[in-house]
Amino acid sequence: MTVSYANRGEAFETLIIRSNITYDVKGWAQVEKTDPAIRITQERGNKIIGYKKAKGFVDFFGISNGRALAFEAKTTKNRTSFPLQNIKAHQMETLKKWRDQGAHSFFLIQFEKHFEVYLLTIDQASQWWTHSLAGGRKSIPYEWFRVNCDIVKPKRGVLLDYLGCLQLP
């Protein structure tokens, strides 16, 4: 199967969806993938003249142990760093708002070449984001992930046990 730029994250998202199904079956969490096909109708008078894609919500949202979850799934082929340009401003803002309301807000970052996934909290991402906007580094080094983030592995019968990294349930 050839993976185009447009769908290169599909395999990663499929792993997350399968993990979410396992969480649901075990009664540990209810987590859903959002619909990426949200469109806004553009009208002129009574006539539809086109559609444009709306700013998306986060990739996944749900609940575990009475606490909300909201996260984005990102993948990179880069071996040495995760480019911050892969994150959109509205994604950062949405995840911060969810955190401010008490949710677990984070990114799952897949380094394809290393076959590794890391959990990057919104607070960690926000520090890098703010620094980059002030003229600092525009990417997060791979080695920084290895030292500062939890690696998401198959555990407890779950393909990608990100809830284990959050110490849930």
Side-chain angles (χ1 to χ4, degrees):
M1 175 175 125
T2 303
V3 179
S4 72
Y5 181 79
N7 66 0
R8 68 182 171 155
E10 267 185 36
F12 180 40
E13 287 190 351
T14 298
L15 287 174
I16 296 169
I17 290 167
R18 293 178 85 194
S19 299
N20 292 342
I21 291 168
T22 304
Y23 287 145
D24 188 32
V25 168
K26 291 179 178 272
W28 294 350
Q30 175 67 45
V31 182
E32 299 291 330
K33 169 85 174 94
T34 57
D35 183 2
I38 298 169
R39 300 198 183 276
I40 297 172
T41 304
Q42 294 178 314
E43 299 178 19
R44 188 173 295 139
N46 292 334
K47 187 175 181 181
I48 296 175
I49 60 169
Y51 299 93
K52 67 178 182 179
K53 190 171 180 182
K55 277 188 188 176
F57 186 50
V58 293
D59 288 337
F60 294 91
F61 70 101
I63 191 164
S64 178
N65 282 0
R67 192 159 168 200
L69 303 166
F71 64 95
E72 279 286 324
K74 301 291 183 184
T75 188
T76 183
K77 291 185 179 192
N78 193 320
R79 287 184 180 277
T80 59
S81 65
F82 173 74
L84 289 167
Q85 70 183 14
N86 291 1
I87 298 173
K88 307 287 187 280
H90 74 271
Q91 294 168 336
M92 285 295 294
E93 291 308 311
T94 299
L95 289 174
K96 285 179 187 178
K97 287 177 183 178
W98 276 66
R99 178 213 48 212
D100 292 346
Q101 293 296 321
H104 289 285
S105 296
F106 55 94
F107 293 88
L108 291 181
I109 308 292
Q110 179 191 45
F111 283 90
E112 284 185 15
K113 303 285 185 185
H114 295 286
F115 303 102
E116 293 175 339
V117 176
Y118 290 92
L119 190 144
L120 177 70
T121 68
I122 188 60
D123 291 333
Q124 291 170 320
S126 185
Q127 288 177 345
W128 283 97
W129 182 265
T130 301
H131 184 69
S132 74
L133 292 177
R137 188 179 171 116
K138 305 296 184 210
S139 63
I140 306 172
Y142 167 74
E143 289 300 322
W144 184 89
F145 280 92
R146 293 191 55 177
V147 171
N148 296 286
C149 296
D150 287 325
I151 191 164
V152 182
K153 293 183 176 184
K155 286 189 221 166
R156 306 184 301 166
V158 183
L159 288 172
L160 289 174
D161 188 17
Y162 61 87
L163 288 183
C165 295
L166 299 170
Q167 299 172 349
L168 294 172

Short mmCIF file of all heavy atoms in Angstrom, two decimals, residues 5-30:
data_model
loop_
_atom_site.label_atom_id
_atom_site.label_comp_id
_atom_site.label_asym_id
_atom_site.label_seq_id
_atom_site.Cartn_x
_atom_site.Cartn_y
_atom_site.Cartn_z
N TYR A 5 1.05 11.71 1.30
CA TYR A 5 1.22 12.70 2.36
C TYR A 5 -0.11 12.94 3.07
O TYR A 5 -0.16 13.08 4.28
CB TYR A 5 1.75 14.01 1.78
CG TYR A 5 1.98 15.06 2.84
CD1 TYR A 5 3.12 15.02 3.64
CD2 TYR A 5 1.04 16.06 3.08
CE1 TYR A 5 3.33 15.96 4.63
CE2 TYR A 5 1.24 17.01 4.06
CZ TYR A 5 2.39 16.95 4.83
OH TYR A 5 2.58 17.87 5.82
N ALA A 6 -1.20 12.93 2.32
CA ALA A 6 -2.51 13.23 2.87
C ALA A 6 -2.99 12.18 3.86
O ALA A 6 -3.70 12.50 4.80
CB ALA A 6 -3.53 13.38 1.75
N ASN A 7 -2.61 10.91 3.68
CA ASN A 7 -3.12 9.88 4.58
C ASN A 7 -2.02 9.14 5.32
O ASN A 7 -2.23 8.04 5.80
CB ASN A 7 -4.00 8.88 3.81
CG ASN A 7 -3.24 8.07 2.79
OD1 ASN A 7 -2.03 8.21 2.63
ND2 ASN A 7 -3.94 7.21 2.09
N ARG A 8 -0.86 9.76 5.46
CA ARG A 8 0.26 9.07 6.10
C ARG A 8 0.01 8.78 7.57
O ARG A 8 0.59 7.87 8.13
CB ARG A 8 1.56 9.83 5.93
CG ARG A 8 1.60 11.13 6.68
CD ARG A 8 2.89 11.86 6.42
NE ARG A 8 2.78 13.17 6.99
CZ ARG A 8 3.79 13.89 7.36
NH1 ARG A 8 5.00 13.44 7.21
NH2 ARG A 8 3.60 15.08 7.88
N GLY A 9 -0.88 9.52 8.22
CA GLY A 9 -1.18 9.28 9.63
C GLY A 9 -2.29 8.27 9.85
O GLY A 9 -2.60 7.93 10.99
N GLU A 10 -2.87 7.75 8.76
CA GLU A 10 -4.00 6.82 8.89
C GLU A 10 -3.64 5.56 9.65
O GLU A 10 -4.41 5.09 10.48
CB GLU A 10 -4.57 6.46 7.52
CG GLU A 10 -5.70 7.36 7.11
CD GLU A 10 -6.33 6.91 5.80
OE1 GLU A 10 -6.44 5.69 5.56
OE2 GLU A 10 -6.73 7.79 5.04
N ALA A 11 -2.51 4.95 9.37
CA ALA A 11 -2.11 3.72 10.06
C ALA A 11 -1.94 3.99 11.55
O ALA A 11 -2.36 3.18 12.39
CB ALA A 11 -0.82 3.17 9.45
N PHE A 12 -1.34 5.11 11.89
CA PHE A 12 -1.17 5.50 13.29
C PHE A 12 -2.53 5.70 13.96
O PHE A 12 -2.78 5.19 15.05
CB PHE A 12 -0.31 6.77 13.35
CG PHE A 12 -0.03 7.29 14.73
CD1 PHE A 12 0.25 6.44 15.79
CD2 PHE A 12 -0.02 8.66 14.98
CE1 PHE A 12 0.54 6.94 17.06
CE2 PHE A 12 0.26 9.16 16.23
CZ PHE A 12 0.53 8.30 17.28
N GLU A 13 -3.42 6.42 13.28
CA GLU A 13 -4.76 6.65 13.84
C GLU A 13 -5.52 5.34 13.99
O GLU A 13 -6.27 5.16 14.95
CB GLU A 13 -5.54 7.65 13.00
CG GLU A 13 -5.04 9.06 13.18
CD GLU A 13 -5.93 10.11 12.55
OE1 GLU A 13 -6.87 9.76 11.81
OE2 GLU A 13 -5.67 11.30 12.80
N THR A 14 -5.31 4.40 13.08
CA THR A 14 -5.96 3.09 13.20
C THR A 14 -5.49 2.37 14.45
O THR A 14 -6.30 1.75 15.16
CB THR A 14 -5.69 2.24 11.94
OG1 THR A 14 -6.25 2.92 10.81
CG2 THR A 14 -6.30 0.86 12.05
N LEU A 15 -4.21 2.45 14.76
CA LEU A 15 -3.69 1.86 16.01
C LEU A 15 -4.35 2.50 17.23
O LEU A 15 -4.69 1.81 18.20
CB LEU A 15 -2.18 2.02 16.10
CG LEU A 15 -1.33 1.14 15.20
CD1 LEU A 15 0.14 1.54 15.33
CD2 LEU A 15 -1.51 -0.32 15.54
N ILE A 16 -4.52 3.81 17.19
CA ILE A 16 -5.16 4.51 18.30
C ILE A 16 -6.62 4.09 18.42
O ILE A 16 -7.10 3.80 19.53
CB ILE A 16 -5.03 6.04 18.13
CG1 ILE A 16 -3.56 6.46 18.19
CG2 ILE A 16 -5.84 6.77 19.21
CD1 ILE A 16 -3.30 7.90 17.77
N ILE A 17 -7.32 4.01 17.30
CA ILE A 17 -8.73 3.61 17.32
C ILE A 17 -8.87 2.19 17.88
O ILE A 17 -9.75 1.93 18.71
CB ILE A 17 -9.34 3.72 15.91
CG1 ILE A 17 -9.48 5.20 15.52
CG2 ILE A 17 -10.70 3.01 15.83
CD1 ILE A 17 -9.76 5.44 14.05
N ARG A 18 -7.99 1.29 17.47
CA ARG A 18 -8.04 -0.08 18.00
C ARG A 18 -7.73 -0.10 19.50
O ARG A 18 -8.34 -0.87 20.26
CB ARG A 18 -7.09 -0.98 17.22
CG ARG A 18 -7.57 -1.15 15.77
CD ARG A 18 -6.66 -1.98 14.94
NE ARG A 18 -7.00 -3.37 15.15
CZ ARG A 18 -6.21 -4.38 14.79
NH1 ARG A 18 -5.06 -4.13 14.22
NH2 ARG A 18 -6.58 -5.62 15.00
N SER A 19 -6.83 0.75 19.93
CA SER A 19 -6.54 0.87 21.37
C SER A 19 -7.77 1.39 22.11
O SER A 19 -8.11 0.91 23.19
CB SER A 19 -5.35 1.80 21.59
OG SER A 19 -4.20 1.29 20.96
N ASN A 20 -8.44 2.37 21.51
CA ASN A 20 -9.64 2.94 22.12
C ASN A 20 -10.75 1.90 22.25
O ASN A 20 -11.51 1.90 23.24
CB ASN A 20 -10.14 4.15 21.33
CG ASN A 20 -9.19 5.32 21.42
OD1 ASN A 20 -8.34 5.39 22.30
ND2 ASN A 20 -9.31 6.24 20.48
N ILE A 21 -10.87 1.02 21.26
CA ILE A 21 -11.86 -0.06 21.34
C ILE A 21 -11.53 -0.98 22.52
O ILE A 21 -12.42 -1.37 23.28
CB ILE A 21 -11.92 -0.84 20.01
CG1 ILE A 21 -12.52 0.05 18.91
CG2 ILE A 21 -12.71 -2.14 20.17
CD1 ILE A 21 -12.36 -0.51 17.50
N THR A 22 -10.26 -1.29 22.69
CA THR A 22 -9.84 -2.13 23.82
C THR A 22 -10.15 -1.44 25.14
O THR A 22 -10.66 -2.07 26.07
CB THR A 22 -8.34 -2.47 23.72
OG1 THR A 22 -8.09 -3.10 22.47
CG2 THR A 22 -7.90 -3.37 24.86
N TYR A 23 -9.86 -0.14 25.23
CA TYR A 23 -10.20 0.60 26.45
C TYR A 23 -11.69 0.52 26.75
O TYR A 23 -12.10 0.35 27.89
CB TYR A 23 -9.78 2.07 26.33
CG TYR A 23 -8.31 2.35 26.40
CD1 TYR A 23 -7.75 3.37 25.64
CD2 TYR A 23 -7.45 1.63 27.24
CE1 TYR A 23 -6.39 3.66 25.71
CE2 TYR A 23 -6.10 1.91 27.31
CZ TYR A 23 -5.57 2.92 26.54
OH TYR A 23 -4.23 3.21 26.62
N ASP A 24 -12.51 0.65 25.71
CA ASP A 24 -13.96 0.60 25.87
C ASP A 24 -14.39 -0.78 26.36
O ASP A 24 -15.17 -0.89 27.31
CB ASP A 24 -14.64 0.96 24.55
CG ASP A 24 -16.15 1.11 24.69
OD1 ASP A 24 -16.62 1.54 25.76
OD2 ASP A 24 -16.85 0.81 23.71
N VAL A 25 -13.88 -1.82 25.74
CA VAL A 25 -14.24 -3.19 26.12
C VAL A 25 -13.84 -3.47 27.57
O VAL A 25 -14.58 -4.11 28.32
CB VAL A 25 -13.58 -4.21 25.16
CG1 VAL A 25 -13.68 -5.64 25.69
CG2 VAL A 25 -14.20 -4.10 23.77
N LYS A 26 -12.69 -2.96 27.99
CA LYS A 26 -12.22 -3.16 29.36
C LYS A 26 -12.94 -2.25 30.36
O LYS A 26 -12.78 -2.39 31.56
CB LYS A 26 -10.71 -2.93 29.45
CG LYS A 26 -9.88 -4.01 28.74
CD LYS A 26 -8.39 -3.71 28.82
CE LYS A 26 -7.56 -4.77 28.18
NZ LYS A 26 -7.21 -5.85 29.09
N GLY A 27 -13.69 -1.26 29.84
CA GLY A 27 -14.39 -0.32 30.72
C GLY A 27 -13.49 0.75 31.30
O GLY A 27 -13.83 1.38 32.30
N TRP A 28 -12.35 0.99 30.66
CA TRP A 28 -11.38 1.96 31.17
C TRP A 28 -11.59 3.36 30.63
O TRP A 28 -11.19 4.34 31.26
CB TRP A 28 -9.96 1.52 30.86
CG TRP A 28 -9.52 0.27 31.54
CD1 TRP A 28 -10.19 -0.40 32.54
CD2 TRP A 28 -8.35 -0.48 31.28
NE1 TRP A 28 -9.49 -1.51 32.91
CE2 TRP A 28 -8.35 -1.59 32.15
CE3 TRP A 28 -7.30 -0.33 30.38
CZ2 TRP A 28 -7.33 -2.54 32.17
CZ3 TRP A 28 -6.28 -1.27 30.39
CH2 TRP A 28 -6.30 -2.36 31.28
N ALA A 29 -12.16 3.47 29.44
CA ALA A 29 -12.34 4.79 28.82
C ALA A 29 -13.30 4.67 27.64
O ALA A 29 -13.49 3.58 27.08
CB ALA A 29 -11.00 5.34 28.32
N GLN A 30 -13.86 5.80 27.29
CA GLN A 30 -14.65 5.93 26.06
C GLN A 30 -14.01 7.08 25.29
O GLN A 30 -14.09 8.23 25.72
CB GLN A 30 -16.11 6.26 26.40
CG GLN A 30 -16.99 6.53 25.20
CD GLN A 30 -17.20 5.30 24.33
OE1 GLN A 30 -17.47 4.22 24.83
NE2 GLN A 30 -17.06 5.47 23.04
#
